[in-house]
């Protein structure tokens, strides 16, 4: 809250929900926005989050652990934009030298944000990993994101990487790909170091049947795996 001069472009709502809308009607056609809903009264607010070129086709969203920001995926451009939940605006711009969006190497269906609220991950199942031809690697990678400056800081080859789940402390990232009985564990703190145990596959045909997701115990030591079974 604050003076009217500071909040005239914001919703001013205490309890809100964002809804991605690539087709907000305007006098000249449509524009991509994040609609803001008064979640106490189920009423659409006249205030909107204008995403413009940062997320021209906004779709799924991921809330940061600190709840101060929201990551918005744009399907048409395979890009990610960060929304400041307080100001209800896109983070970044040429004035501070930060990109307004992160362009992924191909389409994604799953994004996760680590506990530090700076590190993000995007599963990109069809993108060729670095040195794919030289090392005869199949398509699929996990892009490690630096959300403080909207850049990709690393690309980890994982065949058909499609869905992600990160532990509460951010020390482990589970990756679900093309294999029906395998989950890949990435150790983010080891990325960019001399440690070799960055990627560890866990194969178990008895326990895993096309795994697609996980939730964790509060200490992060136990993962409960969701199997979708044969498609």
């Amino acid at each position: 809250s604050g003076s009217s001069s500071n909040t005239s472009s914001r919703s001013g709502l205490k309890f809100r929900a964002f809804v991605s809308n690539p087709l907000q009607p305007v006098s000249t056609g449509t524009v991509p926005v994040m609609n803001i809903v008064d979640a106490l009264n189920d009423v659409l607010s006249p205030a909107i989050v204008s995403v413009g070129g940062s997320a021209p086709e906004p779709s799924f969203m991921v809330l940061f652990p600190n709840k101060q920001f929201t990551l918005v995926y744009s399907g048409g451009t395979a890009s990610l934009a960060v929304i400041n939940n307080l100001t209800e605006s896109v983070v970044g711009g040429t004035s501070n030298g930060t990109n307004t969006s992160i362009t992924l190497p191909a389409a994604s269906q799953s994004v996760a944000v680590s506990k530090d609220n700076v590190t993000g991950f995007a599963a990109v199942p069809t993108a060729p990993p670095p040195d794919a031809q030289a090392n005869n690697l199949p398509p699929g990678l996990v892009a490690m994101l630096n959300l403080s400056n909207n850049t990709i800081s690393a690309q980890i080859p994982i065949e058909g990487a499609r869905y992600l789940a990160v532990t509460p402390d951010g020390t482990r990232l589970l990756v679900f790909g093309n294999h029906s009985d395998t989950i890949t564990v990435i150790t983010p703190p080891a990325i960019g170091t001399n440690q070799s145990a960055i990627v560890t596959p866990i194969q178990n045909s008895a326990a895993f049947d096309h795994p697609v997701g996980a939730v964790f115990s509060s200490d992060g030591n136990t993962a409960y795996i969701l199997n979708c079974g044969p498609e």
Side-chain angles (χ1 to χ4, degrees):
S1 185
S3 67
S4 59
S5 61
N6 291 333
T7 61
S8 58
S9 62
R10 303 206 300 262
S11 67
L13 296 172
K14 185 176 182 179
F15 185 36
R16 303 160 298 169
F18 288 161
V19 180
S20 54
N21 180 5
L23 300 171
Q24 172 77 5
V26 295
S27 59
T28 57
T30 60
V31 294
V33 303
M34 305 298 295
N35 288 126
I36 304 173
V37 175
D38 179 346
L40 288 176
N41 299 297
D42 295 339
V43 176
L44 195 64
S45 168
I48 59 173
V49 181
S50 178
V51 291
S54 301
E57 294 184 20
S59 56
F60 70 81
M61 295 168 279
V62 176
L63 186 65
F64 281 48
N66 63 9
K67 297 181 173 58
Q68 295 179 14
F69 302 94
T70 300
L71 201 58
V72 182
Y73 177 75
S74 180
T77 56
S79 61
L80 294 160
V82 178
I83 304 297
N84 184 313
N85 295 339
L86 177 63
T87 63
E88 295 173 353
S89 61
V90 176
V91 174
T94 55
S95 61
N96 60 8
T98 302
N99 300 320
T100 58
S101 62
I102 306 170
T103 301
L104 301 175
S108 176
Q109 293 176 276
S110 182
V111 176
V113 179
S114 190
K115 181 183 178 181
D116 63 6
N117 298 287
V118 173
T119 307
F121 305 94
V124 191
T126 62
D131 302 322
Q133 291 185 341
N135 297 313
N136 195 28
L137 297 175
L141 60 84
V142 173
M144 186 175 180
L145 315 173
N146 184 331
L147 300 174
S148 65
N149 57 15
N150 287 352
T151 58
I152 296 176
S153 54
Q155 298 185 56
I156 303 97
I158 303 290
E159 182 180 356
R162 190 169 300 276
Y163 303 110
L164 305 175
V166 63
T167 56
D169 62 2
T171 60
R172 297 291 187 274
L173 177 72
L174 302 190
V175 185
F176 308 90
N178 288 341
H179 295 288
S180 63
D181 62 352
T182 303
I183 294 173
T184 302
V185 182
I186 294 178
T187 307
I191 298 174
T193 71
N194 293 324
Q195 301 181 47
S196 58
I198 297 174
V199 176
T200 305
I202 300 176
Q203 186 177 30
N204 190 320
S205 57
F208 301 147
D209 187 0
H210 299 78
V212 294
V215 293
F216 299 94
S217 58
S218 58
D219 60 9
N221 291 330
T222 302
Y224 300 89
I225 306 300
L226 172 65
N227 290 302
C228 79
E231 295 183 275

